[in-house]
Amino acid sequence: MFDRTMLMTMLGVLLLIGCTTTVTARTWDLAVTHEKEIDFIARNGSLIGNTVIVDAYNLVGSAYDDDSYTMFLSDADNPKYSIFSVDLTAKNVTAKPILKRDSPSQIPSMAYDSQTQTLFWTNQKEIMKMHVPLNGAPGKPQTLHKLDDKNPIGIALDVCNRHIYWVNSKQLYSSIMRSNLDGSNLTTIVSENLYDPTTIIVDHVNSKLYWIDDEEGIHYKLEESNLDGSERVTLVHGKHQQPIHLVVDRESIYWTDFTYRAVWKFNKDTKPGDIPVTFKSYYDRKAVSPRSILARDNLGNGIDCKAMKAEVLKKISTTLAAPKPTLQSFNNLTTSREESDEAEKCFNGGLFEKLSGSCKCKPGYSGSRCEISSCHNYCLRGECSVNDKGIPVCKCGSAYDGLRCEHDVCNGYCLNDGRCTVDDMGKPNCECKYSSGARCEVTFDMAEICGLYCMNRQFQKTSINTSSCRCAELNQTIEEVLGYDTFNCTILVPILAGFVGMLTIVVIFLSVYISKLRRRPRIKKRFLVNKGGITPLTSRPGASLPADQCEITIENCCNMNICETPCFEPKLRNATSTRSNGKKKEEKNGLLDHMEDGGNSC
């Protein structure tokens, strides 16, 4: 019998085994979505549990409310709903619809503010928000920022300072922006050296901002800065990855990668030579690629705003308490480095004013620290520079002009379907089709154009005005000249094809007939002849042959009459001499010698 201790141990093991596929509210550290599933992972990389959302198709975005243990998910391919929620405390996890699908655009990133019970998301055109209470129906979606020309993708919340951050991935407007949660105080904090930023996250432990820039080609960058965009540092400059989503916990940075179909990990306390390592790979699972990822340490109850503010005050006090080194001036007098530190607070040559505690920027720059250039996103094409008056000036390429290089020199230049090209001097040139002139402004004779147009041979769709062409009258004239009741290529072509087919059949028939005429049958005739060769040939066979006679057969004779001279040309024939009886006999004997059996039968 089992004792009580052994029984309890076995029950504990069984319960532990049964819970490997069940996720409790406080057991997981990271959550990764892929297809219609959610993997719950511990910090050491082990899989704690897995949840399958039956009604889901392709989960791409996620957010989490740590107070109600509710996860919000966006689905890229669900035909009915774009966003729904799931209760992780329920035994049977089911999807609860939150937002009906009203457009085919995806929702790549979401974030949830538990303080106001508000869900934020991007749809690649806008920053949206919606009140989602713990009990009751969700509110109506509202537009926080409309950004049609910037393509916002990744978003993140700073719940302690009540800010929302997002990255704009459109190349002409690549930037990182920030505003208050109510949409006020919209500012651009990073605008330079960005190509295609895809994801961003706020680290509430260290008061840092992290983002990933998917650079042109095969490279990508993981970068770090302060929450205002200052002190920007590149942590990883790698290649052959396509990052999708980024999160942080107290010790590490994680991101999902579409190329390797894996989750990567990188420690915050980096050392020279450190590289990312694979945290979890999905490569062995066919057609499975991780999309969004969540870290509970940086969400909801895992955020300690007091500690965050204390950390910021500590950094400020440490900076202020640091001894100020002295610098040797040009007049051999010592001076404090305070002025130098104040100058470093302002970018792009701006001057720090002690009274106002702000930066006085040079012409062409703005922002709290003069970090925003007037050239940012000013020139649509070409290069931008700031003149002495602080006004941005664009230097356009050869094919564009205008104040912001917005005008294509070929746009509307060539007329009448002419093809426009730009030479080395930046001047447009036209290659004309149905016209002539520098801009193809001189068209062909309208009679010729109408003839081609009405006969349905060329340019059915063209910019040339063919409304004046009288196709009915033109076709009638052609019918009268050619003598046809109807001038239609669709009728002429079958008729001509039928005529050619009939000629082909006649030629084939004649060829077969002539070939048969050439193959005439072999004509044979039987004759009786005396063995001595004295008696003339006769065609009167008897019932039985005498002893001095035999039967011969002559083939293909020119003259099949019974005669002494069949069609046989002897070798020794003199055309100039007259035929004698002796020679006839010689010809007959020669004929007998050339028979099929060589004359042996006679």
Side-chain angles (χ1 to χ4, degrees):
M1 295 179 64
F2 296 105
D3 58 9
R4 182 180 181 87
T5 304
M6 184 178 296
L7 182 61
M8 293 299 295
T9 303
M10 292 183 64
L11 288 174
V13 172
L14 292 174
L15 289 173
L16 182 61
I17 294 174
C19 290
T20 55
T21 58
T22 304
V23 180
T24 59
R26 304 292 297 178
T27 56
W28 58 276
D29 296 313
L30 298 169
V32 179
T33 64
H34 56 87
E35 301 298 328
K36 58 171 61 180
E37 300 180 29
I38 309 172
D39 286 346
F40 298 93
I41 308 171
R43 191 174 283 105
N44 61 4
S46 61
L47 181 64
I48 297 176
N50 172 271
T51 297
V52 178
I53 310 300
V54 179
D55 298 331
Y57 288 77
N58 185 15
L59 304 177
V60 294
S62 60
Y64 182 66
D65 178 22
D66 206 23
D67 293 334
S68 61
Y69 310 126
T70 301
M71 186 171 290
F72 301 93
L73 301 164
S74 65
D75 197 325
D77 300 329
N78 193 303
K80 295 182 179 180
Y81 301 100
S82 297
I83 302 176
F84 51 84
S85 64
V86 293
D87 184 3
L88 297 184
T89 61
K91 293 183 179 180
N92 297 322
V93 177
T94 57
K96 177 183 178 181
I98 295 295
L99 179 67
K100 290 185 177 181
R101 180 173 296 280
D102 57 356
S103 67
S105 61
Q106 297 186 10
I107 298 177
S109 181
M110 297 192 298
Y112 185 77
D113 178 34
S114 59
Q115 182 175 336
T116 60
Q117 298 180 357
T118 303
L119 182 67
F120 297 85
W121 69 88
T122 62
N123 60 9
Q124 300 179 340
K125 292 182 179 181
E126 302 165 312
I127 306 294
M128 303 292 295
K129 69 175 183 177
M130 181 172 61
H131 181 60
V132 184
L134 298 179
N135 298 315
K140 294 182 179 180
Q142 299 177 1
T143 301
L144 185 69
H145 296 291
K146 192 171 182 62
L147 306 163
D148 291 333
D149 56 347
K150 292 182 173 58
N151 193 23
I153 295 185
I155 62 171
L157 297 183
D158 178 0
V159 297
C160 296
N161 297 303
R162 315 305 294 163
H163 290 154
I164 181 172
Y165 294 81
W166 66 91
V167 291
N168 298 316
S169 62
K170 195 169 184 178
Q171 294 181 10
L172 293 177
Y173 306 97
S174 297
S175 59
I176 300 176
M177 302 184 73
R178 181 183 76 181
S179 76
N180 296 332
L181 294 184
D182 60 0
S184 61
N185 196 19
L186 177 64
T187 58
T188 301
I189 62 171
V190 178
S191 60
E192 297 178 353
N193 298 324
L194 289 174
Y195 182 78
D196 185 12
T198 58
T199 177
I200 190 171
I201 195 68
V202 175
D203 183 7
H204 293 90
V205 176
N206 297 325
S207 300
K208 291 289 185 179
L209 195 65
Y210 297 96
W211 68 88
I212 293 183
D213 186 11
D214 190 4
E215 290 187 307
E216 186 176 11
I218 62 175
H219 295 87
Y220 73 96
K221 289 190 301 184
L222 171 63
E223 297 190 85
E224 172 196 75
S225 75
N226 294 329
L227 296 178
D228 59 357
S230 61
E231 298 183 12
R232 180 177 174 181
V233 178
T234 299
L235 301 179
V236 177
H237 196 183
K239 56 185 178 181
H240 300 303
Q241 287 194 30
Q242 188 177 350
I244 304 174
H245 203 257
L246 175 73
V247 295
V248 295
D249 61 12
R250 296 184 182 277
E251 299 175 354
S252 304
I253 307 169
Y254 307 85
W255 65 89
T256 54
D257 167 38
F258 186 79
T259 302
Y260 289 96
R261 304 209 301 267
V263 179
W264 295 85
K265 178 181 178 181
F266 189 73
N267 292 329
K268 292 180 181 178
D269 298 331
T270 59
K271 300 177 182 178
D274 288 350
I275 60 174
V277 296
T278 303
F279 177 72
K280 184 174 179 60
S281 176
Y282 290 83
Y283 204 81
D284 56 341
R285 301 179 61 178
K286 187 177 180 181
V288 173
S289 179
R291 296 300 296 263
S292 66
I293 183 171
L294 296 171
R296 283 189 53 256
D297 277 354
N298 202 45
L299 297 171
N301 296 326
I303 299 175
D304 189 350
C305 292
K306 293 182 179 180
M308 179 179 178
K309 293 180 179 179
E311 183 67 21
V312 174
L313 294 176
K314 181 180 178 180
K315 291 181 180 180
I316 296 175
S317 61
T318 302
T319 303
L320 295 177
K324 303 294 183 181
T326 57
L327 297 176
Q328 187 70 26
S329 66
F330 291 105
N331 55 6
N332 295 325
L333 297 176
T334 59
T335 180
S336 172
R337 185 154 183 182
E338 184 178 355
E339 296 178 358
S340 176
D341 291 340
E342 292 174 352
E344 291 178 357
K345 295 180 180 179
C346 304
F347 297 132
N348 299 312
L351 299 177
F352 182 77
E353 294 182 345
K354 295 182 181 180
L355 296 177
S356 61
S358 60
C359 294
K360 183 178 181 181
C361 304
K362 287 184 176 181
Y365 297 95
S366 60
S368 59
R369 302 185 65 185
C370 306
E371 74 278 8
I372 302 175
S373 173
S374 300
C375 276
H376 176 61
N377 296 332
Y378 181 78
C379 300
L380 300 181
R381 300 172 184 88
E383 298 179 358
C384 179
S385 60
V386 180
N387 60 16
D388 298 337
K389 298 181 180 180
I391 300 175
V393 179
C394 296
K395 183 179 180 182
C396 305
S398 59
Y400 299 92
D401 60 10
L403 293 177
R404 301 182 63 190
C405 305
E406 73 281 4
H407 180 250
D408 187 350
V409 296
C410 277
N411 187 17
Y413 183 79
C414 298
L415 307 176
N416 299 318
D417 291 344
R419 179 174 174 268
C420 180
T421 58
V422 181
D423 58 19
D424 296 337
M425 303 299 293
K427 295 182 179 180
N429 297 314
C430 296
E431 297 178 5
C432 305
K433 292 183 179 180
Y434 319 115
S435 56
S436 60
R439 299 183 60 191
C440 304
E441 69 276 7
V442 180
T443 60
F444 291 159
D445 182 70
M446 284 304 298
E448 181 180 358
I449 294 176
C450 288
L452 294 173
Y453 175 75
C454 295
M455 292 171 67
N456 195 24
R457 294 182 182 178
Q458 295 185 18
F459 54 93
Q460 281 297 312
K461 293 182 179 180
T462 175
S463 61
I464 300 176
N465 186 10
T466 56
S467 59
S468 60
C469 297
R470 300 179 180 179
C471 294
E473 297 180 4
L474 180 62
N475 292 339
Q476 184 178 1
T477 303
I478 296 176
E479 293 170 6
E480 293 175 356
V481 172
L482 298 180
Y484 295 125
D485 293 336
T486 305
F487 185 74
N488 195 335
C489 292
T490 58
I491 298 178
L492 291 178
V493 172
I495 293 175
L496 184 61
F499 180 72
V500 173
M502 292 179 62
L503 286 179
T504 304
I505 294 173
V506 171
V507 170
I508 294 174
F509 176 78
L510 291 176
S511 299
V512 173
Y513 181 73
I514 293 172
S515 177
K516 288 184 178 181
L517 290 179
R518 288 181 177 180
R519 295 197 300 267
R520 292 179 296 175
R522 295 168 62 91
I523 303 174
K524 297 181 179 181
K525 195 161 188 180
R526 298 169 58 240
F527 291 92
L528 297 177
V529 65
N530 194 298
K531 291 182 180 180
I534 300 173
T535 306
L537 295 174
T538 177
S539 60
R540 294 173 294 179
S544 61
L545 294 176
D548 60 345
Q549 292 182 347
C550 64
E551 182 179 331
I552 64 173
T553 302
I554 301 176
E555 297 181 4
N556 292 333
C557 183
C558 311
N559 187 2
M560 296 307 295
N561 294 327
I562 300 175
C563 61
E564 296 182 357
T565 310
C567 290
F568 178 76
E569 193 74 19
K571 294 181 180 180
L572 301 175
R573 180 176 180 178
N574 190 357
T576 58
S577 62
T578 58
R579 296 176 181 267
S580 61
N581 292 331
K583 292 194 176 204
K584 290 181 180 179
K585 292 180 180 180
E586 293 178 359
E587 293 175 0
K588 184 188 302 182
N589 294 331
L591 178 62
L592 295 175
D593 293 337
H594 288 80
M595 287 171 28
E596 292 179 355
D597 55 359
N600 295 328
S601 62
C602 293

